[in-house]
Amino acid sequence: MSRWKHLLLISLWTGICLSAAASQIVYECDFSGRQLDGWKFSEYTEPVVIDGVPMLKVTVPEPSAARMNAAFRPMNLNPLRNKILMITFEVKAESVTKPAHSYNGIKAMFYLKTKTGEVWRNPVHLHGSFDWREIRTGIEIPSHAEKAQLIVGLQESSGTLLVRRIRIEAFSKAEVYPSIPLPANFRAEYTRRVTETPPLRGVMGPDNYRPEDLDELHSWNANLLRWQLKRNWGRSNTERDLKEYTGWFHRKLDELDRVLDHCRKLGIKVIIDLHTPPGGRNSENDMTMFYEPVYAEAFLKMWEEMAVRYKDHPALWAYDLVNEPSQSKPARIDYLTLQYEAAKRIRTIDTETPIIVESNGWAIPHTFGYLSPLPLPNIIYQAHMYEPGAFTHQGVGNNWGARGSEQYTNYPGVIGGIRWNRETLRERLRPVRDFQQKYGARIYIGEFSAARWAPGAARYLEDVISIFEEYGWDWSYHSFRESQVWSVEHSADRFDYKRTTLPTDRKQILLNYFERNIP
């Protein structure tokens, strides 16, 4: 039996056990009788009975389509804390118009407020007409959760939505994210290639190779470039045509050849970042390859191919297996087991080049709390730091919403009821620091940033980088000549889209730290 088939059978069996025995149903609603208790219905929503079946009906006329038209139910958090929830909605749509934003349209949503921000879990690109189907989403409920509610309806859409059942199942983290077996008192193992390399400091690179960009980066004294193999960022249900995807992938490798050769001349080390994996992300922004084995197998083969192609290139620093993995519910093969399998395959080809593993939940620091190290040599562990999101992403459409220029949030200061400063940032990074100290692991912060117009962005960068430096972590700023939102070469005026000829305070912060790369 092949390694993959054996692995897949284990994953399938695990999934069967989870579905059949380990889950606990914590809430069910079929919109009948007492099950309507706690629900609040807006103007165009009502409980009805159709053909003898009770259900929720949402019918929104065109003039009222812009607003949220939904039913709401607050949830008791006590039995949900520290659990992974899988929420299933059974719905039917009739002529639901396409919304202006992909995250609107049909709302089958779980809303969560925590001490660190707000999260809206809702599948995207839901509109049109379709018969009864199940829509699922997943979410982790942390111990510090403060408020939660179910939201079902339409936003930015007219038409009719019918909902006849909602079910919430709860799983423990250990059931959804199993640990990798480790020997007693495990410590990460590194060869001299890693231990004798001082902390690396650089940037996350542009989307396309332009020689002048790398020459400019060299003049900044950066010594690390996280190079993205990326397209369709922020979109869902892409990368499904493997033949077409593979053709794009090979064209990106041809470009990567030129990047590596150029960086060798400049003395810049390169991390190969698989930003867009085969299968892409599904409607819930989870990675499709965790649920559909055909894409997982393609992912493994791609890394075997890259290891053969690049293992001896002198500019190569590390293989970054997958950018910001997201697995929000039980999967056929979990986010870490698939990375482990890829790492093992790489090690049969390349025994020494560092391999970078990312934590779940978009590589946020919190998920290092249940990340298991891998018992292989030269494994580096990556986190991304964008907390607090209400500050770093203000004015950027995301889970925290889009803020206007009249609603700027300042750092340091009170954000979401919490006073944020350098010590707050240190506390948010504690799970990563604890992991480092427990296992002797090398840590890499692959992305961190704040929108260029965020008041206090330079202070924020100074504070987070100073913590990285204190802990001896590698880091790469997001981003360099990729998006003007994060560009340190653009002014703080959000409506100024040209690079400034004057150094910004944010750029100066980076330059000051890049000077430490000079021998």
Side-chain angles (χ1 to χ4, degrees):
M1 181 183 295
S2 71
R3 285 180 299 173
W4 168 247
K5 289 182 179 179
H6 178 67
L7 180 68
L8 179 57
L9 287 175
I10 293 175
S11 302
L12 285 171
W13 175 245
T14 301
I16 292 170
C17 291
L18 283 170
S19 301
S23 68
Q24 175 188 2
I25 297 177
V26 293
Y27 177 75
E28 284 188 289
C29 177
D30 64 4
F31 295 98
S32 66
R34 294 296 302 273
Q35 293 193 31
L36 294 173
D37 291 352
W39 282 93
K40 295 182 179 180
F41 303 97
S42 65
E43 180 180 1
Y44 298 108
T45 65
E46 61 178 337
V48 297
V49 176
I50 299 178
D51 296 330
V53 179
M55 62 187 71
L56 172 69
K57 184 177 183 180
V58 183
T59 301
V60 179
E62 181 62 35
S64 300
R67 70 188 193 209
M68 170 75 83
N69 297 282
F72 305 83
R73 189 188 192 282
M75 302 301 297
N76 177 12
L77 283 167
N78 290 332
L80 308 181
R81 298 184 196 278
N82 296 310
K83 298 289 187 180
I84 307 297
L85 304 187
M86 183 167 69
I87 306 102
T88 303
F89 302 84
E90 193 172 345
V91 302
K92 179 180 180 180
E94 300 173 359
S95 302
V96 175
T97 57
K98 185 177 181 179
H101 300 89
S102 63
Y103 49 80
N104 286 328
I106 294 173
K107 290 292 186 181
M109 176 185 290
F110 193 96
Y111 164 80
L112 181 68
K113 181 181 180 181
T114 73
K115 290 182 178 179
T116 59
E118 297 175 290
V119 179
W120 294 264
R121 291 293 298 181
N122 183 76
V124 297
H125 299 292
L126 291 177
H127 55 84
S129 298
F130 52 81
D131 205 352
W132 291 106
R133 68 167 66 164
E134 289 187 343
I135 296 172
R136 293 185 175 89
T137 190
I139 191 168
E140 177 189 348
I141 309 298
S143 60
H144 59 270
E146 298 177 337
K147 179 182 178 181
Q149 66 176 346
L150 287 168
I151 303 174
V152 188
L154 300 177
Q155 186 173 8
E156 286 190 339
S157 293
S158 61
T160 298
L161 174 69
L162 301 175
V163 186
R164 67 184 180 189
R165 183 170 286 104
I166 301 173
R167 183 177 69 255
I168 302 179
E169 298 171 82
F171 301 83
S172 72
K173 291 179 186 177
E175 292 164 340
V176 180
Y177 311 123
S179 298
I180 303 298
L182 299 171
N185 302 314
F186 174 82
R187 300 285 289 178
E189 176 187 347
Y190 298 102
T191 65
R192 292 176 60 185
R193 178 173 178 175
V194 176
T195 60
E196 294 183 359
T197 299
L200 299 169
R201 305 170 183 91
V203 300
M204 183 170 165
D207 293 334
N208 299 292
Y209 172 56
R210 294 178 293 270
E212 62 272 18
D213 291 344
L214 299 187
D215 292 339
E216 176 67 17
L217 184 61
H218 175 63
S219 75
W220 293 12
N221 295 311
N223 63 8
L224 181 66
L225 174 65
R226 183 173 182 241
W227 185 261
Q228 309 169 75
L229 304 178
K230 184 188 83 170
R231 68 174 181 178
N232 294 325
W233 178 246
R235 298 178 60 189
S236 61
N237 299 314
T238 64
E239 326 311 327
R240 301 302 178 89
D241 183 339
L242 282 178
K243 181 178 180 181
E244 188 278 332
Y245 173 88
T246 301
W248 166 81
F249 169 68
H250 285 135
R251 291 191 296 275
K252 293 301 287 185
L253 294 189
D254 291 340
E255 180 183 52
L256 177 58
D257 292 345
R258 299 192 294 275
V259 171
L260 284 164
D261 289 345
H262 194 164
C263 284
R264 175 173 63 175
K265 297 176 183 177
L266 299 175
I268 296 174
K269 291 296 185 181
V270 177
I271 292 172
I272 301 174
D273 159 29
L274 183 55
H275 219 77
T276 303
R281 296 181 187 269
N282 61 25
S283 295
E284 301 161 46
N285 278 323
D286 279 5
M287 287 180 169
T288 303
M289 63 183 181
F290 300 149
Y291 303 93
E292 299 185 32
V294 63
Y295 299 111
E297 180 61 30
F299 170 78
L300 296 172
K301 288 180 178 178
M302 287 167 58
W303 275 115
E304 288 177 316
E305 179 179 346
M306 284 189 281
V308 169
R309 184 163 177 161
Y310 296 119
K311 65 177 182 177
D312 296 320
H313 200 290
L316 175 63
W317 169 243
Y319 306 111
D320 185 352
L321 296 177
V322 62
N323 178 68
E324 297 182 335
S326 179
Q327 178 206 339
S328 63
K329 59 184 183 293
R332 299 280 287 273
I333 177 169
D334 67 87
Y335 82 100
L336 186 59
T337 299
L338 185 55
Q339 290 186 84
Y340 186 25
E341 179 66 13
K344 288 189 290 186
R345 292 199 184 189
I346 290 171
R347 280 290 172 258
T348 65
I349 300 165
D350 182 340
T351 60
E352 193 171 25
T353 298
I355 297 171
I356 298 175
V357 168
E358 299 193 29
S359 67
N360 190 34
W362 302 72
I364 61 175
H366 166 75
T367 53
F368 267 71
Y370 59 79
L371 176 66
S372 174
L374 303 186
L376 294 172
N378 290 354
I379 304 295
I380 297 172
Y381 300 87
Q382 180 177 174
H384 293 175
M385 181 59 178
Y386 290 106
E387 296 185 34
F391 169 76
T392 63
H393 280 65
Q394 58 187 293
V396 183
N398 54 53
N399 282 346
W400 295 275
R403 296 176 178 269
S405 59
E406 73 285 355
Q407 299 174 301
Y408 282 133
T409 299
N410 292 269
Y411 174 89
V414 176
I415 305 171
I418 298 174
R419 182 165 295 281
W420 284 85
N421 53 35
R422 187 175 186 275
E423 291 312 305
T424 319
L425 299 175
R426 183 194 299 277
E427 184 61 29
R428 289 294 182 265
L429 289 165
R430 182 180 295 277
V432 185
R433 177 62 167 168
D434 289 347
F435 183 94
Q436 176 191 22
Q437 293 181 313
K438 181 177 181 179
Y439 298 113
R442 184 155 180 158
I443 300 297
Y444 167 52
I445 303 297
E447 295 184 27
F448 65 97
S449 199
R452 61 185 172 90
W453 49 77
R459 172 70 178 276
Y460 177 84
L461 296 183
E462 170 62 38
D463 284 354
V464 291
I465 294 175
S466 68
I467 296 171
F468 306 158
E469 292 287 320
E470 177 185 343
Y471 294 158
W473 296 349
D474 305 310
W475 53 266
S476 55
Y477 174 78
H478 175 264
S479 60
F480 173 72
R481 297 191 175 179
E482 177 208 37
S483 165
Q484 56 85 21
V485 173
W486 318 105
S487 171
V488 298
E489 297 176 283
H490 287 71
S491 75
D493 180 355
R494 65 178 298 183
F495 301 108
D496 182 0
Y497 303 112
K498 295 181 179 180
R499 291 180 197 158
T500 178
T501 57
L502 300 174
T504 66
D505 53 358
R506 292 166 291 115
K507 178 180 177 180
Q508 193 59 52
I509 296 293
L510 296 184
L511 294 179
N512 291 344
Y513 280 103
F514 289 156
E515 286 184 2
R516 300 186 180 188
N517 293 331
I518 301 173

mmCIF file of all heavy atoms in Angstrom, residues 379-404:
data_model
loop_
_atom_site.group_PDB
_atom_site.id
_atom_site.type_symbol
_atom_site.label_atom_id
_atom_site.label_comp_id
_atom_site.label_asym_id
_atom_site.label_seq_id
_atom_site.Cartn_x
_atom_site.Cartn_y
_atom_site.Cartn_z
ATOM 1 N N ILE A 379 13.235 21.795 11.100
ATOM 2 C CA ILE A 379 11.875 22.299 10.923
ATOM 3 C C ILE A 379 11.768 23.646 11.634
ATOM 4 O O ILE A 379 12.063 23.759 12.826
ATOM 5 C CB ILE A 379 10.811 21.334 11.468
ATOM 6 C CG1 ILE A 379 10.953 19.949 10.824
ATOM 7 C CG2 ILE A 379 9.414 21.900 11.247
ATOM 8 C CD1 ILE A 379 10.674 19.914 9.340
ATOM 9 N N ILE A 380 11.354 24.665 10.898
ATOM 10 C CA ILE A 380 11.145 26.007 11.437
ATOM 11 C C ILE A 380 9.643 26.257 11.505
ATOM 12 O O ILE A 380 8.886 25.812 10.629
ATOM 13 C CB ILE A 380 11.850 27.061 10.564
ATOM 14 C CG1 ILE A 380 13.370 26.816 10.589
ATOM 15 C CG2 ILE A 380 11.526 28.478 11.011
ATOM 16 C CD1 ILE A 380 14.151 27.688 9.614
ATOM 17 N N TYR A 381 9.200 26.974 12.524
ATOM 18 C CA TYR A 381 7.767 27.150 12.765
ATOM 19 C C TYR A 381 7.387 28.615 12.573
ATOM 20 O O TYR A 381 8.015 29.507 13.140
ATOM 21 C CB TYR A 381 7.407 26.649 14.154
ATOM 22 C CG TYR A 381 7.742 25.183 14.308
ATOM 23 C CD1 TYR A 381 9.009 24.778 14.717
ATOM 24 C CD2 TYR A 381 6.822 24.201 13.961
ATOM 25 C CE1 TYR A 381 9.345 23.433 14.809
ATOM 26 C CE2 TYR A 381 7.147 22.850 14.046
ATOM 27 C CZ TYR A 381 8.412 22.470 14.463
ATOM 28 O OH TYR A 381 8.737 21.139 14.536
ATOM 29 N N GLN A 382 6.349 28.830 11.767
ATOM 30 C CA GLN A 382 6.001 30.178 11.330
ATOM 31 C C GLN A 382 4.679 30.651 11.910
ATOM 32 O O GLN A 382 3.688 29.920 11.928
ATOM 33 C CB GLN A 382 5.910 30.231 9.795
ATOM 34 C CG GLN A 382 5.542 31.597 9.253
ATOM 35 C CD GLN A 382 5.527 31.668 7.736
ATOM 36 O OE1 GLN A 382 5.142 32.675 7.158
ATOM 37 N NE2 GLN A 382 5.952 30.594 7.057
ATOM 38 N N ALA A 383 4.667 31.904 12.346
ATOM 39 C CA ALA A 383 3.452 32.598 12.754
ATOM 40 C C ALA A 383 3.352 33.905 11.989
ATOM 41 O O ALA A 383 4.350 34.425 11.480
ATOM 42 C CB ALA A 383 3.470 32.866 14.262
ATOM 43 N N HIS A 384 2.129 34.445 11.909
ATOM 44 C CA HIS A 384 1.888 35.757 11.334
ATOM 45 C C HIS A 384 1.286 36.640 12.413
ATOM 46 O O HIS A 384 0.491 36.183 13.227
ATOM 47 C CB HIS A 384 0.953 35.668 10.131
ATOM 48 C CG HIS A 384 1.546 34.943 8.967
ATOM 49 N ND1 HIS A 384 0.834 34.665 7.822
ATOM 50 C CD2 HIS A 384 2.784 34.423 8.770
ATOM 51 C CE1 HIS A 384 1.623 34.018 6.971
ATOM 52 N NE2 HIS A 384 2.804 33.850 7.524
ATOM 53 N N MET A 385 1.665 37.912 12.424
ATOM 54 C CA MET A 385 1.238 38.811 13.490
ATOM 55 C C MET A 385 0.546 40.043 12.914
ATOM 56 O O MET A 385 1.198 40.940 12.373
ATOM 57 C CB MET A 385 2.448 39.227 14.343
ATOM 58 C CG MET A 385 2.093 40.140 15.497
ATOM 59 S SD MET A 385 0.896 39.379 16.629
ATOM 60 C CE MET A 385 0.767 40.652 17.867
ATOM 61 N N TYR A 386 -0.781 40.045 13.047
ATOM 62 C CA TYR A 386 -1.576 41.194 12.625
ATOM 63 C C TYR A 386 -2.512 41.665 13.738
ATOM 64 O O TYR A 386 -3.519 42.319 13.463
ATOM 65 C CB TYR A 386 -2.405 40.840 11.388
ATOM 66 C CG TYR A 386 -1.611 40.639 10.130
ATOM 67 C CD1 TYR A 386 -1.403 39.360 9.608
ATOM 68 C CD2 TYR A 386 -1.082 41.722 9.441
ATOM 69 C CE1 TYR A 386 -0.683 39.171 8.438
ATOM 70 C CE2 TYR A 386 -0.369 41.542 8.265
ATOM 71 C CZ TYR A 386 -0.170 40.264 7.769
ATOM 72 O OH TYR A 386 0.538 40.078 6.599
ATOM 73 N N GLU A 387 -2.205 41.337 14.967
ATOM 74 C CA GLU A 387 -3.087 41.725 16.066
ATOM 75 C C GLU A 387 -2.646 43.062 16.641
ATOM 76 O O GLU A 387 -1.440 43.329 16.732
ATOM 77 C CB GLU A 387 -3.062 40.647 17.155
ATOM 78 C CG GLU A 387 -3.604 39.311 16.678
ATOM 79 C CD GLU A 387 -3.693 38.296 17.805
ATOM 80 O OE1 GLU A 387 -3.981 38.702 18.961
ATOM 81 O OE2 GLU A 387 -3.462 37.107 17.528
ATOM 82 N N PRO A 388 -3.622 43.912 17.022
ATOM 83 C CA PRO A 388 -5.069 43.732 16.876
ATOM 84 C C PRO A 388 -5.521 44.074 15.459
ATOM 85 O O PRO A 388 -5.142 45.104 14.892
ATOM 86 C CB PRO A 388 -5.652 44.724 17.879
ATOM 87 C CG PRO A 388 -4.654 45.837 17.918
ATOM 88 C CD PRO A 388 -3.298 45.180 17.723
ATOM 89 N N GLY A 389 -6.362 43.225 14.895
ATOM 90 C CA GLY A 389 -6.804 43.425 13.522
ATOM 91 C C GLY A 389 -7.571 44.713 13.317
ATOM 92 O O GLY A 389 -7.525 45.307 12.238
ATOM 93 N N ALA A 390 -8.281 45.173 14.341
ATOM 94 C CA ALA A 390 -9.024 46.421 14.203
ATOM 95 C C ALA A 390 -8.098 47.603 13.976
ATOM 96 O O ALA A 390 -8.508 48.624 13.427
ATOM 97 C CB ALA A 390 -9.878 46.662 15.452
ATOM 98 N N PHE A 391 -6.834 47.473 14.375
ATOM 99 C CA PHE A 391 -5.834 48.505 14.089
ATOM 100 C C PHE A 391 -5.105 48.209 12.786
ATOM 101 O O PHE A 391 -5.054 49.041 11.882
ATOM 102 C CB PHE A 391 -4.824 48.620 15.233
ATOM 103 C CG PHE A 391 -3.639 49.470 14.889
ATOM 104 C CD1 PHE A 391 -3.758 50.848 14.858
ATOM 105 C CD2 PHE A 391 -2.413 48.897 14.559
ATOM 106 C CE1 PHE A 391 -2.665 51.655 14.496
ATOM 107 C CE2 PHE A 391 -1.328 49.682 14.203
ATOM 108 C CZ PHE A 391 -1.457 51.069 14.174
ATOM 109 N N THR A 392 -4.520 47.030 12.661
ATOM 110 C CA THR A 392 -3.645 46.748 11.517
ATOM 111 C C THR A 392 -4.406 46.741 10.200
ATOM 112 O O THR A 392 -3.844 47.086 9.162
ATOM 113 C CB THR A 392 -2.930 45.401 11.689
ATOM 114 O OG1 THR A 392 -3.892 44.337 11.713
ATOM 115 C CG2 THR A 392 -2.090 45.367 12.953
ATOM 116 N N HIS A 393 -5.680 46.348 10.222
ATOM 117 C CA HIS A 393 -6.439 46.210 8.986
ATOM 118 C C HIS A 393 -7.515 47.281 8.823
ATOM 119 O O HIS A 393 -8.431 47.112 8.009
ATOM 120 C CB HIS A 393 -7.077 44.819 8.923
ATOM 121 C CG HIS A 393 -6.133 43.749 8.486
ATOM 122 N ND1 HIS A 393 -5.042 43.378 9.232
ATOM 123 C CD2 HIS A 393 -6.102 42.975 7.371
ATOM 124 C CE1 HIS A 393 -4.391 42.404 8.608
ATOM 125 N NE2 HIS A 393 -5.004 42.158 7.473
ATOM 126 N N GLN A 394 -7.432 48.365 9.570
ATOM 127 C CA GLN A 394 -8.445 49.403 9.395
ATOM 128 C C GLN A 394 -8.386 49.952 7.980
ATOM 129 O O GLN A 394 -7.324 50.206 7.424
ATOM 130 C CB GLN A 394 -8.251 50.513 10.414
ATOM 131 C CG GLN A 394 -6.912 51.196 10.406
ATOM 132 C CD GLN A 394 -6.758 52.171 11.553
ATOM 133 O OE1 GLN A 394 -7.436 53.191 11.624
ATOM 134 N NE2 GLN A 394 -5.868 51.837 12.485
ATOM 135 N N GLY A 395 -9.569 50.070 7.386
ATOM 136 C CA GLY A 395 -9.638 50.506 5.997
ATOM 137 C C GLY A 395 -9.441 49.401 4.994
ATOM 138 O O GLY A 395 -9.424 49.639 3.791
ATOM 139 N N VAL A 396 -9.306 48.162 5.470
ATOM 140 C CA VAL A 396 -9.105 47.001 4.597
ATOM 141 C C VAL A 396 -10.268 46.045 4.826
ATOM 142 O O VAL A 396 -10.579 45.701 5.964
ATOM 143 C CB VAL A 396 -7.778 46.286 4.915
ATOM 144 C CG1 VAL A 396 -7.557 45.133 3.937
ATOM 145 C CG2 VAL A 396 -6.616 47.258 4.876
ATOM 146 N N GLY A 397 -10.927 45.603 3.780
ATOM 147 C CA GLY A 397 -12.037 44.670 3.934
ATOM 148 C C GLY A 397 -11.548 43.334 4.449
ATOM 149 O O GLY A 397 -10.677 42.714 3.870
ATOM 150 N N ASN A 398 -12.106 42.878 5.578
ATOM 151 C CA ASN A 398 -11.687 41.621 6.188
ATOM 152 C C ASN A 398 -12.663 41.227 7.275
ATOM 153 O O ASN A 398 -13.755 41.779 7.377
ATOM 154 C CB ASN A 398 -10.275 41.762 6.772
ATOM 155 C CG ASN A 398 -10.190 42.933 7.729
ATOM 156 O OD1 ASN A 398 -10.982 43.027 8.652
ATOM 157 N ND2 ASN A 398 -9.267 43.834 7.498
ATOM 158 N N ASN A 399 -12.284 40.305 8.139
ATOM 159 C CA ASN A 399 -13.181 39.809 9.180
ATOM 160 C C ASN A 399 -13.616 40.876 10.173
ATOM 161 O O ASN A 399 -14.599 40.696 10.882
ATOM 162 C CB ASN A 399 -12.514 38.668 9.957
ATOM 163 C CG ASN A 399 -12.550 37.364 9.192
ATOM 164 O OD1 ASN A 399 -13.274 37.237 8.221
ATOM 165 N ND2 ASN A 399 -11.771 36.391 9.628
ATOM 166 N N TRP A 400 -12.819 41.967 10.262
ATOM 167 C CA TRP A 400 -13.171 43.017 11.221
ATOM 168 C C TRP A 400 -13.994 44.119 10.572
ATOM 169 O O TRP A 400 -14.313 45.110 11.205
ATOM 170 C CB TRP A 400 -11.905 43.611 11.836
ATOM 171 C CG TRP A 400 -11.170 42.602 12.640
ATOM 172 C CD1 TRP A 400 -11.387 42.269 13.941
ATOM 173 C CD2 TRP A 400 -10.085 41.785 12.206
ATOM 174 N NE1 TRP A 400 -10.515 41.294 14.334
ATOM 175 C CE2 TRP A 400 -9.703 40.977 13.298
ATOM 176 C CE3 TRP A 400 -9.398 41.665 11.001
ATOM 177 C CZ2 TRP A 400 -8.659 40.064 13.213
ATOM 178 C CZ3 TRP A 400 -8.369 40.738 10.920
ATOM 179 C CH2 TRP A 400 -8.017 39.954 12.016
ATOM 180 N N GLY A 401 -14.288 43.992 9.278
ATOM 181 C CA GLY A 401 -15.067 45.009 8.605
ATOM 182 C C GLY A 401 -14.192 46.086 7.991
ATOM 183 O O GLY A 401 -12.999 46.185 8.248
ATOM 184 N N ALA A 402 -14.776 46.913 7.147
ATOM 185 C CA ALA A 402 -14.043 47.994 6.487
ATOM 186 C C ALA A 402 -14.315 49.299 7.221
ATOM 187 O O ALA A 402 -15.447 49.697 7.420
ATOM 188 C CB ALA A 402 -14.484 48.102 5.028
ATOM 189 N N ARG A 403 -13.267 49.958 7.655
ATOM 190 C CA ARG A 403 -13.396 51.219 8.380
ATOM 191 C C ARG A 403 -13.141 52.386 7.436
ATOM 192 O O ARG A 403 -12.288 52.321 6.573
ATOM 193 C CB ARG A 403 -12.407 51.273 9.548
ATOM 194 C CG ARG A 403 -12.687 50.216 10.616
ATOM 195 C CD ARG A 403 -11.615 50.258 11.687
ATOM 196 N NE ARG A 403 -11.910 49.290 12.734
ATOM 197 C CZ ARG A 403 -12.622 49.572 13.812
ATOM 198 N NH1 ARG A 403 -13.104 50.774 13.997
ATOM 199 N NH2 ARG A 403 -12.836 48.654 14.733
ATOM 200 N N GLY A 404 -13.848 53.464 7.660
ATOM 201 C CA GLY A 404 -13.663 54.657 6.846
ATOM 202 C C GLY A 404 -12.612 55.571 7.438
ATOM 203 O O GLY A 404 -12.168 55.396 8.578
#
